[in-house]
Amino acid sequence: MTHDAPANAAPLRAYPAFVHFWIARIASGFGFQMLSVAVGWQIYALTGNAFDLGLVGLVQFVPSLLLALPAGHIADQFNRRRIVVTCQSLEWIAIAALALGSWQGWLNETGILTLLFVIGLARAVEFPTRQAMVPGLVPAPVLPRAMAMNASAMQVAMIAGPAAGGFLYVAGPDAVYATAALLYLISIVLLARLRYDHRPPRREPATLKTVFAGVGFIRARPAILGVISLDLFAVLLGGATALLPIFARDILHTGPWGLGLLRAAPAVGALLMSVWLARHALQRRVGMIMFASVAGFGVATLVFALSQMLWLSLLALAALGAFDMVSMVIRGALVQLDTPDAMRGRVSAVNSIFINTSNQLGEFESGMLAAWLGAVGSALIGGLGTLVVVGLWMWMFPVLRKRQTLETPDEENVADAAR
């Protein structure tokens, strides 16, 4: 439609609400990445036990699994901006307590894990709510570019945040926590001043039916079910990055510096692609572009598995990150645009369960296969499995294969697929 063209062509800076949201995302993302580095160092310095490092991940994962569906219901029943501000305020209090306890010297392992659990609870509610906010900040034709720009904030935080946290840790963990608290405070102020027009519908009581409504909604819509399940199985099979220490030491024969480069390569590729996608709209054959990107992810995994040269492995990982970013932006925009606003929180919550589960199980699957078949064999099976999944999903979900634009209503796609 012609009236979409001006909005689609407008730069993202023309939408000040989204710009404020994006800056807040960078600030809180930086703060959380810095926090993650400091917590790991501090826990290990206090206990010297590798098992305790696993507890750091566990106390953050459990809340996200238990609270995801209730969080989605909350996001659809209350003002989303206020929910995110409240959650980040709770996170800020916990981070400030980490800073104060480290400075005063009374913080122990139990205290750190307890405060991390509080942060995990708040983030479990914040994540689906924040995801559901994005479509309300820009017009629908601009959403894919906005999601790419939002993803770039995450990638910048993932690349630079840990490095900044490690550098500041020289001055002590309290310095890292205090800086993270300051960044969270900036994010809270920006979000509190954000102009976001969200009028929740008439509130429904929290019942099993309303809490699980997102699951039923997804099952009834082939496009959304196909997109979310494609992400689940592709990530489950493509978890080669969990094996990077093995590849760095035993196959590429490099040291910790090489491992650092390998870990950064996917994020660099994803960041470069997200910047490109933020400036160039995906307007045609988005379904095939998504499938081609997931297939490219699988091919890049195969190249990485077979490479014995550091430079080729870095290129393969950068390509892997770039392909994943393309498919992630398309999948995310398609889910948001095919979901009515009254359901976005619950659908985002179900999607977050799939994402968190696939990331955790993908690393487990890669590790188990590596124990049986070696790291190379595990990565090869993952890459080949991803290609098989792409072929199966193209056959099982023709509505996705024939999808032309992200704005096309689901019903039109069903009609096209039936012809």
Side-chain angles (χ1 to χ4, degrees):
M1 290 183 287
T2 56
H3 66 270
D4 284 345
N8 197 33
L12 288 170
R13 63 176 178 272
Y15 306 99
F18 174 76
V19 173
H20 286 185
F21 180 87
W22 182 71
I23 295 173
R25 183 76 181 91
I26 289 181
S28 61
F30 254 90
F32 183 74
Q33 292 298 326
M34 293 171 63
L35 168 77
S36 300
V37 169
V39 162
W41 276 102
Q42 190 175 21
I43 283 280
Y44 195 64
L46 287 172
T47 69
N49 190 345
F51 176 76
D52 293 324
L53 294 178
L55 291 178
V56 170
L58 184 65
V59 297
Q60 296 178 83
F61 174 69
V62 169
S64 69
L65 189 62
L66 296 179
L67 289 183
L69 293 180
H73 175 80
I74 293 171
D76 287 334
Q77 298 298 309
F78 299 92
N79 185 281
R80 291 169 183 154
R81 180 182 61 82
R82 292 176 183 171
I83 295 171
V84 174
V85 170
T86 301
C87 290
Q88 289 203 356
S89 297
L90 290 174
E91 293 164 46
W92 178 85
I93 291 172
I95 297 170
L98 285 169
L100 181 62
S102 298
W103 179 48
Q104 294 292 325
W106 51 258
L107 192 65
N108 57 20
E109 176 200 3
T110 302
I112 294 173
L113 292 176
T114 301
L115 291 170
L116 280 180
F117 185 73
V118 172
I119 293 172
L121 290 173
R123 285 177 61 83
V125 179
E126 177 194 347
F127 180 79
T129 309
R130 190 180 66 234
Q131 291 291 101
M133 284 182 65
V134 180
L137 300 173
V138 295
V142 185
L143 181 61
R145 290 194 290 131
M147 295 192 72
M149 198 65 180
N150 194 40
S152 72
M154 180 180 66
Q155 297 300 328
V156 168
M158 289 177 63
I159 294 170
F167 177 78
L168 279 174
Y169 198 90
V170 175
D174 53 327
V176 183
Y177 297 139
T179 305
L182 176 61
L183 289 169
Y184 263 83
L185 187 60
I186 293 172
S187 176
I188 292 167
V189 171
L190 287 170
L191 291 172
R193 295 168 56 88
L194 183 70
R195 296 187 62 182
Y196 176 69
D197 185 21
H198 175 229
R199 296 181 177 86
R202 183 177 59 85
R203 292 178 184 171
E204 304 175 69
T207 64
L208 286 178
K209 181 179 179 180
T210 59
V211 170
F212 282 85
V215 177
F217 181 88
I218 290 170
R219 289 181 59 188
R221 285 156 180 80
I224 299 179
L225 177 61
V227 162
I228 292 179
S229 57
L230 175 66
D231 179 50
L232 171 65
F233 286 100
V235 173
L236 273 175
L237 293 168
T241 51
L243 307 175
L244 287 182
I246 300 175
F247 276 92
R249 190 186 67 179
D250 299 338
I251 296 171
L252 300 174
H253 306 293
T254 184
W257 64 272
L259 176 59
L261 291 177
L262 291 171
R263 286 197 179 279
V268 171
L271 175 61
L272 294 175
M273 180 56 71
S274 67
V275 172
W276 189 88
L277 289 172
R279 298 176 62 88
H280 300 83
L282 296 170
Q283 296 179 327
R284 299 288 298 171
R285 298 179 62 81
V286 295
M288 287 305 298
I289 292 174
M290 178 187 67
F291 281 122
S293 298
V294 179
F297 180 92
V299 171
T301 301
L302 292 175
V303 173
F304 173 74
L306 296 172
S307 171
Q308 295 185 355
M309 295 174 287
L310 180 60
W311 66 268
L312 181 58
S313 297
L314 291 172
L315 286 178
L317 288 173
L320 182 149
F323 282 125
D324 187 49
M325 178 56 64
V326 175
S327 64
M328 185 183 75
V329 167
I330 294 176
R331 293 192 311 262
L334 191 151
V335 169
Q336 295 289 356
L337 290 171
D338 278 9
T339 304
D341 186 66
M343 286 294 300
R344 280 186 178 133
R346 281 167 284 187
V347 171
S348 294
V350 176
N351 195 24
S352 72
I353 292 177
F354 275 67
I355 292 171
N356 289 332
T357 302
S358 61
N359 286 334
Q360 299 290 332
L361 292 182
E363 293 182 2
F364 175 74
E365 174 267 339
S366 294
M368 290 295 293
L369 281 178
W372 294 337
L373 305 173
V376 173
S378 174
L380 284 174
I381 289 178
L384 291 172
T386 300
L387 295 177
V388 171
V389 166
V390 170
L392 284 175
W393 259 242
M394 290 179 68
W395 172 67
M396 293 167 56
F397 297 96
V399 63
L400 282 178
R401 189 180 70 245
K402 297 183 179 183
R403 184 87 177 217
Q404 292 296 312
T405 65
L406 290 168
E407 295 82 32
T408 304
D410 214 355
E411 293 77 13
E412 293 182 20
N413 284 299
V414 174
D416 289 342
R419 292 191 185 110

